[in-house]
Amino acid sequence: MKKITLLLGIFLIASCSKSKEEKMLYEYQKAKATSINFNINDLDFNIKSLDKLNDVKAKDSMAFFKNKLIEYYKTTDKEKETVSFEYVINQLDTLINSYQKLILLRAKGGRSYLNYEDKENRNKFIKEKVYVESWKEQYDKYSKNPEVILSSKYKANYTILNPVMNNAKQTFEKFFFTNSSQTKFVEEENIK
């Protein structure tokens, strides 16, 4: 009988302790509360549910950056599969160089006062090229190992007592994302 009681006690203690993910969410919210000068224990933070939805892999990020490129370049459905970062960067280079030549021609002709708008356009395309190059860099980095897990996505439902609202109990439902080593939550997103 003593063994059964001991086993039952151990089971109850183990079942009452927080899971690794719940501890991660608690630490995330604790840091957030501390940053605005509140103590998490005073907020009566209570996790109602915390469910892992999926892993975010490198190939998901590759798709994200490819979609950014397609959205930026405004391709047709036929072009979506064939448009590449290199192609878009080359097109931007062509535009930048064309504006630069026009600016220099006007300067040589004594009509530099006409260059204001062209300089703005050239600079706009230079800025856009920097963005596209950074997307390409990330895409290439992720393409080396597309199955690596970058993060895990969780859906959490929790309550707090809001001291700003006379300790009214508020319920939140949000997405949370872990770091790549699955040791802490690093980002949250409101559920729309």
Side-chain angles (χ1 to χ4, degrees):
M1 189 64 166
K2 287 183 181 181
K3 289 182 182 180
I4 293 174
T5 306
L6 180 62
L7 286 173
L8 187 58
I10 292 172
F11 176 75
L12 285 173
I13 290 170
S15 66
C16 292
S17 66
K18 293 179 183 176
S19 70
K20 172 186 161 193
E21 291 82 5
E22 289 175 329
K23 288 176 185 175
M24 289 168 30
L25 183 58
Y26 177 83
E27 290 301 317
Y28 180 86
Q29 295 293 39
K30 180 180 175 183
K32 193 174 164 185
T34 303
S35 72
I36 55 173
N37 296 323
F38 286 110
N39 184 331
I40 190 77
N41 297 325
D42 296 338
L43 302 179
D44 193 28
F45 176 70
N46 186 17
I47 300 171
K48 298 294 186 188
S49 66
L50 181 60
D51 302 310
K52 183 176 181 177
L53 299 178
N54 61 321
D55 290 326
V56 179
K57 295 184 176 183
K59 66 182 176 184
D60 301 322
S61 291
M62 288 171 61
F64 171 79
F65 287 112
K66 181 71 172 192
N67 287 337
K68 280 183 80 79
L69 179 72
I70 290 168
E71 184 181 306
Y72 165 75
Y73 199 64
K74 297 182 182 18
T75 61
T76 64
D77 285 337
K78 290 180 184 177
E79 294 174 316
K80 282 184 181 180
E81 296 301 317
T82 59
V83 71
S84 69
F85 290 99
E86 292 81 7
Y87 177 78
V88 173
I89 290 168
N90 286 335
Q91 293 297 314
L92 288 167
D93 275 336
T94 301
L95 287 168
I96 293 165
N97 291 334
S98 296
Y99 277 112
Q100 185 61 31
K101 287 177 184 174
L102 184 59
I103 291 166
L104 291 174
L105 283 172
R106 283 193 182 135
K108 286 180 184 177
R111 298 181 358 184
S112 292
Y113 61 90
L114 296 174
N115 283 338
Y116 180 75
E117 190 174 314
D118 292 330
K119 285 181 180 179
E120 278 190 349
N121 286 329
R122 179 201 58 196
N123 293 343
K124 179 184 107 176
F125 288 124
I126 289 171
K127 184 177 180 181
E128 290 175 5
K129 180 184 172 197
V130 169
Y131 286 130
V132 174
E133 286 174 333
S134 71
W135 301 339
K136 179 188 182 312
E137 184 179 311
Q138 291 299 313
Y139 183 90
D140 291 345
K141 180 177 101 177
Y142 294 137
S143 69
K144 292 176 183 168
N145 194 355
E147 291 302 316
V148 71
I149 296 173
L150 303 177
S151 179
S152 291
K153 182 177 183 179
Y154 287 81
K155 183 178 182 182
N157 184 304
Y158 61 93
T159 60
I160 62 165
L161 296 179
N162 189 333
V164 177
M165 300 174 69
N166 290 330
N167 285 330
K169 188 177 229 176
Q170 290 184 291
T171 301
F172 296 93
E173 193 168 65
K174 294 184 178 186
F175 294 126
F176 289 88
F177 297 89
T178 66
N179 59 0
S180 60
S181 60
Q182 313 286 311
T183 57
K184 65 180 183 175
F185 287 112
V186 293
E187 187 73 37
E188 69 181 75
E189 181 180 289
N190 289 325
I191 296 176
K192 297 174 184 171

